[in-house]
């Protein structure tokens, strides 16, 4: 059988394109084959001298730290000055060989190589001259004393009496959870208002100038009251305002006549005094107003004002204001007894 030889032109490599020069890519190297340049090499110069760890001066004969063997100094002065910073990181170098090898060498008679003299310097610890107490908690070490079990001891004689006196002096006021006697506040406003309102019931009337002056009703009663516990002592605090409705009745030529009025008491508190001639700061604010007295003669109006006694606190004896002040005083004493 006759074999046909392959075409010579088909087996040859494809010709390069005319006019294209690829020689400019010959100098390109792959990134994996790149090598660091000499100027960026981190190698240390062989002839470079060490520098002082404190003043950074170049030194020829360094003084090394006697503990870590790494820090180098130009003088003992620099060594002392840098110790307050260096001691935070200074530690002995780790041994390269276990201790068993050193013991075996001693048993075999091998000598430990001597350390060159003058190579190391022991740093002088001058902590006493510095106020460096922030790190001293690291120096604590557990004591070797055995743990002791707590055993209660019964107090007798003077010790028992002293303990009883101490318990008696402890704060006892306040809630059961507040054994320490710290600040505790209890709102008793509703209780205080009810107690004061009860004291104002059946209020006595005053006979004046052929007529009768009386309190017909408690028109308003508001304010706040509390019993805080401060350092184991209960305080009684209140600030109340009341408004009473007044009524004056008398017989005129046309029959029985009447005039209405109001008596307001403000700033009634635990600091209110009931003594005659007391400081104005310890007296409540008293205000009286009347309507319908235009038909009353001037002499009778003066008599009504005197019967009220509103010109001075707590009012003169036998006046309506004096009777009110007595009821308020009784409330103050009663409120102090409420737990």
């Amino acid at each position: 059988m006759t074999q046909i030889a392959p075409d010579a032109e088909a087996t040859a490599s494809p010709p390069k394109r005319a006019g294209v020069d690829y020689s400019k890519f010959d100098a390109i190297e792959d990134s994996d084959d790149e090598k660091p340049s000499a100027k960026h090499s981190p190698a240390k110069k062989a002839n470079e001298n060490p520098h002082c760890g404190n003043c950074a001066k170049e030194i020829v004969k360094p003084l090394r730290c006697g503990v870590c063997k790494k820090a180098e100094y130009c003088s003992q002065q620099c060594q002392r000055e840098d110790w307050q910073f260096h001691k935070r990181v200074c530690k002995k170098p780790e041994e390269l060989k276990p201790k068993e090898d050193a013991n075996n060498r001693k048993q075999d008679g091998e000598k430990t190589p001597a350390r060159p003299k003058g190579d190391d310097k022991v740093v002088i610890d001058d902590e006493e001259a510095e106020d460096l107490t922030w790190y001293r908690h690291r120096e604590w070490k557990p004591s070797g004393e055995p743990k002791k079990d707590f055993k209660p001891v019964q107090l007798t004689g003077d010790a028992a009496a002293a303990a009883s006196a101490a318990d008696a002096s402890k704060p006892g006021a306040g809630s059961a959870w507040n054994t320490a006697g710290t600040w505790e506040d209890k709102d008793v406003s509703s209780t205080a208002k009810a107690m004061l309102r009860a004291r104002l019931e059946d209020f006595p009337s005053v006979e004046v100038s052929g007529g009768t002056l009386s309190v017909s009703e408690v028109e308003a009663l508001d304010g706040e009251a509390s019993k805080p516990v401060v350092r184991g002592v209960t305080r009684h605090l209140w600030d109340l305002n009341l408004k009473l409705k007044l009524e004056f009745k008398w017989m005129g030529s046309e029959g029985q006549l009447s005039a209405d009025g109001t008596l307001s008491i403000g700033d009634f508190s635990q600091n209110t005094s009931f003594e005659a001639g007391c400081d104005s700061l310890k007296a409540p604010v008293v205000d009286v107003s009347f309507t319908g007295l235009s038909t009353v003669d001037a002499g009778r109006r003066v008599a009504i004002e005197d019967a009220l006694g509103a010109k001075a606190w707590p009012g003169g004896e036998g006046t309506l204001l004096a009777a009110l002040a007595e009821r308020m005083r009784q409330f103050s004493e009663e409120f102090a007894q409420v737990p």
Side-chain angles (χ1 to χ4, degrees):
M1 180 179 295
T2 307
Q3 297 182 353
I4 301 175
D7 191 358
E9 293 180 2
T11 58
S13 59
K16 296 182 179 180
R17 293 183 181 182
V20 179
D21 185 12
Y22 294 95
S23 61
K24 59 183 179 179
F25 299 104
D26 294 343
I28 297 178
E29 296 183 0
D30 189 71
S31 60
D32 296 336
D33 300 335
E34 292 181 358
K35 299 179 181 180
S37 59
K39 63 180 180 178
H40 297 294
S41 177
K44 187 179 180 180
K45 295 181 181 180
N47 297 331
E48 184 178 356
N49 293 328
H51 293 74
C52 178
N54 183 51
C55 63
K57 292 182 180 180
E58 186 176 350
I59 49 180
V60 179
K61 296 180 66 177
L63 302 179
R64 295 187 179 88
C65 175
V67 180
C68 65
K69 308 297 190 298
K70 295 180 180 180
E72 299 176 334
Y73 304 95
C74 63
S75 64
Q76 292 185 3
Q77 181 64 24
C78 284
Q79 202 171 9
R80 291 191 181 94
E81 293 177 358
D82 189 55
W83 174 242
Q84 59 177 328
F85 308 104
H86 175 62
K87 64 184 175 183
R88 304 174 189 174
V89 297
C90 182
K91 61 180 181 179
K92 293 183 179 180
E94 298 180 357
E95 297 182 2
L96 300 178
K97 294 183 180 181
K99 296 182 179 180
E100 288 77 5
D101 295 344
N103 296 333
N104 294 335
R105 287 199 303 269
K106 291 182 180 180
Q107 292 177 1
D108 297 339
E110 297 182 7
K111 296 182 179 180
T112 305
R115 183 170 53 185
K117 296 183 178 179
D119 187 32
D120 299 334
K121 293 291 183 181
V122 179
V123 177
I124 299 176
D125 189 357
D126 55 345
E127 292 183 1
E128 297 180 356
E130 303 174 3
D131 186 13
L132 301 174
T133 58
W134 58 270
Y135 67 92
R136 293 191 181 278
H137 64 278
R138 303 179 183 177
E139 301 176 359
W140 178 86
K141 295 181 180 179
S143 60
E145 298 181 1
K147 182 179 178 181
K148 297 181 180 180
D149 296 332
F150 173 75
K151 295 181 180 180
V153 180
Q154 184 177 2
L155 299 177
T156 59
D158 297 339
S164 300
D167 293 339
S169 63
K170 290 183 179 179
S175 304
W177 56 266
N178 191 9
T179 56
T182 55
W183 172 269
E184 177 186 350
D185 197 0
K186 181 180 179 182
D187 186 9
V188 290
S189 300
S190 58
T191 303
K193 294 175 184 177
M195 292 174 59
L196 182 57
R197 187 179 291 273
R199 284 289 177 182
L200 298 178
E201 293 179 356
D202 300 330
F203 204 85
S205 58
V206 178
E207 300 294 332
V208 53
S209 188
T212 304
L213 180 64
S214 62
V215 176
S216 59
E217 65 173 315
V218 180
E219 189 173 357
L221 177 57
D222 56 15
E224 298 178 350
S226 62
K227 287 184 176 292
V229 177
V230 184
R231 297 181 179 179
V233 180
T234 303
R235 311 294 175 90
H236 310 280
L237 309 178
W238 68 87
D239 187 3
L240 302 174
N241 304 310
L242 58 152
K243 187 176 182 181
L244 307 179
K245 188 174 182 181
L246 303 177
E247 186 178 28
F248 177 65
K249 295 180 180 181
W250 76 99
M251 293 298 295
S253 59
E254 301 177 357
Q256 187 176 21
L257 302 176
S258 65
D260 296 331
T262 56
L263 173 61
S264 300
I265 304 293
D267 296 339
F268 172 41
S269 67
Q270 69 280 354
N271 297 324
T272 299
S273 175
F274 300 97
E275 300 292 334
C278 65
D279 188 359
S280 59
L281 298 177
K282 295 184 178 181
V285 179
V286 181
D287 185 25
V288 179
S289 63
F290 254 104
T291 58
L293 289 180
S294 58
T295 57
V296 180
D297 57 276
R300 182 168 286 178
R301 285 199 298 268
V302 173
I304 293 174
E305 293 178 357
D306 293 340
L308 280 173
K311 294 182 178 180
W313 175 262
E317 184 178 356
T319 62
L320 189 70
L321 187 61
L324 177 60
E326 177 62 20
R327 300 295 180 95
M328 294 167 63
R329 186 191 64 79
Q330 294 174 2
F331 159 79
S332 302
E333 296 177 355
E334 183 182 4
F335 182 74
Q337 304 300 323
V338 177

